[in-house]
Amino acid sequence: MDTPEKNNLNNPLSKFEDSPVFNYINSLSPIPVKSIHVTQTFSSLSFSSPPSVFTSPHVNCHRESRFLKRHNLLETSKPKVLSEDVNSPREENPADSTHTCHDSSELQQGTEKGISTGDDAPIKPSNENTTEPPLALKYNSGSPGYDSLICGDEANTLLELPVESTSHVAHVPEGSEKDSVEDAMQLQGICQTEARIEALDCDWDSLITEAPDLLMLSPPNMTEAFKGLNKQSNSSIRLGNFMTSLSQSATNDGHKMHIVNSGASGSEHEIEDHPSESVVVTDSMTNCPSEKTDDKLIYVTNRGIRRRCLDFEMASVQRKHDDNANPNSSTAKSDEGNIGSEKKLIPRKGNGDSRRCVLPGIGLHLNALANLEDYKSIKNEQLSSGREPNLPSSPSSLQRSVNQENQLLLVPASVERDLELLENEVQPAEDCTQSSVHMAGEDCQQNSPKKKRKVQRKLEPSGEGESCKRCNCKKSKCLKLYCECFAAGVYCVEPCSCRDCFNKPIHVDTVLQTRRQIESRNPLAFAPKVIRSSDALPEIGDDPNKTPASARHKRGCNCKKSNCLKKYCECYQGGVGCSISCRCEGCKNAFGRKDGSVPSGVEAEPEEETEACEKGAVEKASQKNEIQNIEDHPDCVLPITPLRSSRPLLPLPFSSKGKPPRSFVATISASGLLTSQKLGKSNASQSQSKFEKPLQTVPDDDSAITCIKTSSPNGKRISSPNCDFGSSPTRRGGRKLILQSIPSFPSLTPHH
DNA sequence: GAGTTTGAAACT
DNA sequence: CAGTTTCAAACTC
């Protein structure tokens, strides 16, 4: 176990010197080759990737968090190791390497699900997020450990998040075994540098200008890293060149990744690839300044976007990034890099919307997410933080981070602190981040599960709750729709106070199976309950139902005592008005009554509308709605639901099929793959409007997809969310047909 | 924090 | 499909 990797590691260094990096640095255009490799690996991997039920964002986050922690630990403990000897780190942690090997082997062997077993071990830890020195050590130990972790986690993630995640994962685990190994080797050395570079990336311009200094100063490691890369020497000179190249590349592409990659070599290729893969995301990312700031961050964000799309995916991606970074080297550097990225990420969040962050759940509905930088950032954050990044929620934190970004570049330590703080705060919930995108942090921040929950609920009754899903299940084992996390397609996270929870990466198989069962029963079971479409307005107009709100509840509520004025009412909770499909009694939904009457002006925009009375409620609801929408309808919200994203994982298969169930779609979209598409139709506009960055995903599939599912297997009123928006709202009239025609299930269940 | 209410989810 | 039970969130005290 140890030996091979070690050997590889050692060799890599030499490789490092030899080709990629050096050449890269010298020439500046290294990207292509590696990136290509990466992509390939990804592709292979991605396909192979198993179906993860949800990739739980949480999981990913945890992992990431781990990474971060690990990184931190490493950094603190072994910052220089990498720099000194890229190889050494790997060697140092033979045990780790072994772990990695196992994981990787398992992953590879298991390819899809086999991983789960292997993953379990690794995953659990990751899930816990709790600081794990061991993990850190693993990572530190070198890429191997790192890889292992990654493999395990990633494997899960991969399984979960086939496509994007896979890509990331790919390099680590299987795929790119060779490549990965080499990359890892290189990465170790490079990673450190990259990490720093990334930090630098935060502000290329500034960095560039300052680069020399920064490199020299802030990143002593950088220099070291470079040395490591080069193995000594000329780091400064090369750095100078490197910097210039980077600056150029950064400016030009906006993909810092390239630069980094070039510098870093190997692992980074992946990054580049990712961007390409998650085109939308990447683009968005690139666009965002913040993105630039963090190469890795970008990666992560991209990944995150893809994922969160699925949070899971995101997490996986992030992991990969982290892994990539880690692998190399120095975990320490990698860690640093990660950290840096994270930090940066955080900042971005702060800067960007992220605060809002982050979206929840899986929510993960995520097309938009992909688009949204915020979403990305959020995801990244989440990932970095751990499962649930809390979303950094705290704006303050975000802001801090933002401000820090620059500082970070210069002053890593401070950044780290921030990151840690963020992590602590954030960890709670990915969902939050997502859901909260707007609300952001409110919820997420909470620490204790119960408290958090309550707090969140109080704070963010509607949206956030979802976004940061945290359940309190006692009997369902979190394997039923009763469980919000499960329903959202995300893994339960630490903040959850559930008992006997099986909704964890460790139990991926169980989760998937259960999910399948549920989907078999009701294909739309995991679809967003509330379909919002800003676009829907027209529909609304059309809709007799009157849902004032653009959005609607997929099934409609059945309230009898709450008058649809409390969260008991899913419509209300979702911030949408009741519609014809609702069977509620005495409907007084502030967002729109079943009869069509609009309570108080809610019609146009529930969120805005509700004002008066229920403003609070309404607002909350609206917020939730937004969140939900996002989650539920990736389309609408960017970030959307991690849930969806998580779902998407499952869907991946669907994707192949072509028409994932909405949930699937959502998830997919989140992941960046398909997601946007779905939304595209109905929600795209909305999402865009809100996020504006939206992927705008390609509508193609979406339309089809969206409509497709409307027919519910179960028969309860299911209108595909998408359809709903698009068609349904209008009501079923014509659209139902369409829905029927569409095979929602296939996409969903089929896979597994 | 404990208990109650509520309605969705699950079951029959 | 309808009725009942189970469940956990939402809510209240």
mmCIF file of all heavy atoms in Angstrom, chain A residues 721-739:
data_model
loop_
_atom_site.group_PDB
_atom_site.id
_atom_site.type_symbol
_atom_site.label_atom_id
_atom_site.label_comp_id
_atom_site.label_asym_id
_atom_site.label_seq_id
_atom_site.Cartn_x
_atom_site.Cartn_y
_atom_site.Cartn_z
ATOM 1 N N PRO A 721 -42.708 19.978 -10.903
ATOM 2 C CA PRO A 721 -42.446 21.331 -10.464
ATOM 3 C C PRO A 721 -42.236 22.155 -11.668
ATOM 4 O O PRO A 721 -42.773 23.209 -11.804
ATOM 5 C CB PRO A 721 -41.155 21.212 -9.722
ATOM 6 C CG PRO A 721 -40.832 19.770 -9.702
ATOM 7 C CD PRO A 721 -41.840 19.031 -10.516
ATOM 8 N N ASN A 722 -41.452 21.660 -12.466
ATOM 9 C CA ASN A 722 -41.128 22.433 -13.628
ATOM 10 C C ASN A 722 -42.386 22.677 -14.380
ATOM 11 O O ASN A 722 -42.711 23.776 -14.746
ATOM 12 C CB ASN A 722 -40.197 21.672 -14.533
ATOM 13 C CG ASN A 722 -38.902 21.497 -13.827
ATOM 14 O OD1 ASN A 722 -38.610 22.251 -12.915
ATOM 15 N ND2 ASN A 722 -38.139 20.544 -14.203
ATOM 16 N N CYS A 723 -43.027 21.600 -14.594
ATOM 17 C CA CYS A 723 -44.225 21.694 -15.351
ATOM 18 C C CYS A 723 -45.117 22.666 -14.670
ATOM 19 O O CYS A 723 -45.744 23.503 -15.269
ATOM 20 C CB CYS A 723 -44.892 20.362 -15.416
ATOM 21 S SG CYS A 723 -43.859 19.262 -16.338
ATOM 22 N N ASP A 724 -45.101 22.518 -13.398
ATOM 23 C CA ASP A 724 -46.013 23.339 -12.693
ATOM 24 C C ASP A 724 -45.797 24.746 -13.117
ATOM 25 O O ASP A 724 -46.683 25.453 -13.492
ATOM 26 C CB ASP A 724 -45.766 23.234 -11.206
ATOM 27 C CG ASP A 724 -46.162 21.879 -10.806
ATOM 28 O OD1 ASP A 724 -46.741 21.231 -11.670
ATOM 29 O OD2 ASP A 724 -45.899 21.462 -9.702
ATOM 30 N N PHE A 725 -44.587 25.046 -13.003
ATOM 31 C CA PHE A 725 -44.341 26.409 -13.331
ATOM 32 C C PHE A 725 -44.739 26.636 -14.722
ATOM 33 O O PHE A 725 -45.529 27.477 -15.034
ATOM 34 C CB PHE A 725 -42.884 26.723 -13.225
ATOM 35 C CG PHE A 725 -42.583 26.666 -11.828
ATOM 36 C CD1 PHE A 725 -41.685 25.763 -11.316
ATOM 37 C CD2 PHE A 725 -43.259 27.483 -10.968
ATOM 38 C CE1 PHE A 725 -41.452 25.741 -9.993
ATOM 39 C CE2 PHE A 725 -42.993 27.436 -9.630
ATOM 40 C CZ PHE A 725 -42.101 26.562 -9.150
ATOM 41 N N GLY A 726 -44.083 25.860 -15.458
ATOM 42 C CA GLY A 726 -44.296 26.109 -16.841
ATOM 43 C C GLY A 726 -45.707 25.878 -17.141
ATOM 44 O O GLY A 726 -46.416 26.761 -17.566
ATOM 45 N N SER A 727 -46.086 24.727 -16.963
ATOM 46 C CA SER A 727 -47.389 24.414 -17.403
ATOM 47 C C SER A 727 -48.340 24.406 -16.285
ATOM 48 O O SER A 727 -49.385 24.989 -16.309
ATOM 49 C CB SER A 727 -47.376 23.044 -17.957
ATOM 50 O OG SER A 727 -46.966 22.184 -16.953
ATOM 51 N N SER A 728 -47.982 23.726 -15.308
ATOM 52 C CA SER A 728 -48.931 23.432 -14.335
ATOM 53 C C SER A 728 -49.628 24.600 -13.807
ATOM 54 O O SER A 728 -50.809 24.609 -13.654
ATOM 55 C CB SER A 728 -48.302 22.781 -13.191
ATOM 56 O OG SER A 728 -47.516 23.711 -12.581
ATOM 57 N N PRO A 729 -48.912 25.524 -13.478
ATOM 58 C CA PRO A 729 -49.559 26.592 -12.788
ATOM 59 C C PRO A 729 -50.762 26.885 -13.531
ATOM 60 O O PRO A 729 -51.798 27.079 -12.967
ATOM 61 C CB PRO A 729 -48.605 27.686 -12.937
ATOM 62 C CG PRO A 729 -47.409 27.068 -13.537
ATOM 63 C CD PRO A 729 -47.692 25.676 -13.887
ATOM 64 N N THR A 730 -50.501 26.963 -14.702
ATOM 65 C CA THR A 730 -51.626 27.252 -15.456
ATOM 66 C C THR A 730 -52.577 26.233 -15.169
ATOM 67 O O THR A 730 -53.685 26.398 -15.193
ATOM 68 C CB THR A 730 -51.309 27.145 -16.856
ATOM 69 O OG1 THR A 730 -50.729 25.973 -16.929
ATOM 70 C CG2 THR A 730 -50.483 28.128 -17.293
ATOM 71 N N ARG A 731 -52.182 25.284 -14.838
ATOM 72 C CA ARG A 731 -52.923 24.302 -14.332
ATOM 73 C C ARG A 731 -53.067 23.220 -15.165
ATOM 74 O O ARG A 731 -53.246 22.795 -15.800
ATOM 75 C CB ARG A 731 -54.191 24.679 -14.097
ATOM 76 C CG ARG A 731 -54.106 25.314 -13.271
ATOM 77 C CD ARG A 731 -54.306 25.472 -12.462
ATOM 78 N NE ARG A 731 -53.809 26.149 -11.554
ATOM 79 C CZ ARG A 731 -53.983 26.352 -10.676
ATOM 80 N NH1 ARG A 731 -54.543 25.943 -10.600
ATOM 81 N NH2 ARG A 731 -53.585 26.949 -9.771
ATOM 82 N N ARG A 732 -53.114 22.584 -14.933
ATOM 83 C CA ARG A 732 -53.175 21.356 -15.472
ATOM 84 C C ARG A 732 -53.799 21.292 -16.704
ATOM 85 O O ARG A 732 -53.783 20.398 -17.366
ATOM 86 C CB ARG A 732 -53.962 20.611 -14.620
ATOM 87 C CG ARG A 732 -53.553 21.061 -13.511
ATOM 88 C CD ARG A 732 -54.008 20.910 -12.594
ATOM 89 N NE ARG A 732 -53.421 21.131 -11.467
ATOM 90 C CZ ARG A 732 -53.636 20.634 -10.592
ATOM 91 N NH1 ARG A 732 -54.327 19.959 -10.704
ATOM 92 N NH2 ARG A 732 -53.129 20.805 -9.513
ATOM 93 N N GLY A 733 -54.464 22.197 -17.101
ATOM 94 C CA GLY A 733 -55.159 22.033 -18.261
ATOM 95 C C GLY A 733 -54.475 21.296 -19.254
ATOM 96 O O GLY A 733 -54.620 20.150 -19.415
ATOM 97 N N GLY A 734 -53.844 21.909 -20.025
ATOM 98 C CA GLY A 734 -53.212 21.214 -21.054
ATOM 99 C C GLY A 734 -52.030 20.456 -20.665
ATOM 100 O O GLY A 734 -51.761 19.463 -21.197
ATOM 101 N N ARG A 735 -51.399 20.934 -19.809
ATOM 102 C CA ARG A 735 -50.091 20.412 -19.521
ATOM 103 C C ARG A 735 -50.100 19.034 -19.008
ATOM 104 O O ARG A 735 -49.177 18.310 -19.147
ATOM 105 C CB ARG A 735 -49.501 21.220 -18.471
ATOM 106 C CG ARG A 735 -49.603 22.546 -18.967
ATOM 107 C CD ARG A 735 -48.587 22.912 -19.767
ATOM 108 N NE ARG A 735 -48.724 24.153 -20.345
ATOM 109 C CZ ARG A 735 -47.972 25.019 -20.043
ATOM 110 N NH1 ARG A 735 -47.195 24.771 -19.127
ATOM 111 N NH2 ARG A 735 -47.980 26.074 -20.676
ATOM 112 N N LYS A 736 -51.101 18.669 -18.357
ATOM 113 C CA LYS A 736 -51.062 17.360 -17.754
ATOM 114 C C LYS A 736 -50.633 16.349 -18.786
ATOM 115 O O LYS A 736 -49.840 15.486 -18.530
ATOM 116 C CB LYS A 736 -52.422 16.983 -17.245
ATOM 117 C CG LYS A 736 -52.770 17.778 -16.022
ATOM 118 C CD LYS A 736 -54.116 17.377 -15.537
ATOM 119 C CE LYS A 736 -54.511 18.122 -14.299
ATOM 120 N NZ LYS A 736 -55.857 17.739 -13.851
ATOM 121 N N LEU A 737 -51.229 16.513 -19.906
ATOM 122 C CA LEU A 737 -50.920 15.565 -20.945
ATOM 123 C C LEU A 737 -49.433 15.455 -21.092
ATOM 124 O O LEU A 737 -48.881 14.398 -21.080
ATOM 125 C CB LEU A 737 -51.518 16.053 -22.260
ATOM 126 C CG LEU A 737 -53.021 16.108 -22.201
ATOM 127 C CD1 LEU A 737 -53.552 16.673 -23.481
ATOM 128 C CD2 LEU A 737 -53.570 14.730 -21.896
ATOM 129 N N ILE A 738 -48.892 16.566 -21.194
ATOM 130 C CA ILE A 738 -47.459 16.573 -21.383
ATOM 131 C C ILE A 738 -46.796 15.787 -20.286
ATOM 132 O O ILE A 738 -45.958 14.955 -20.512
ATOM 133 C CB ILE A 738 -46.918 17.992 -21.322
ATOM 134 C CG1 ILE A 738 -47.458 18.752 -22.485
ATOM 135 C CG2 ILE A 738 -45.426 17.945 -21.295
ATOM 136 C CD1 ILE A 738 -47.213 20.234 -22.368
ATOM 137 N N LEU A 739 -47.232 16.088 -19.144
ATOM 138 C CA LEU A 739 -46.609 15.454 -18.028
ATOM 139 C C LEU A 739 -46.676 13.963 -18.179
ATOM 140 O O LEU A 739 -45.695 13.268 -18.031
ATOM 141 C CB LEU A 739 -47.343 15.823 -16.763
ATOM 142 C CG LEU A 739 -47.206 17.295 -16.454
ATOM 143 C CD1 LEU A 739 -48.018 17.633 -15.245
ATOM 144 C CD2 LEU A 739 -45.761 17.638 -16.312
#
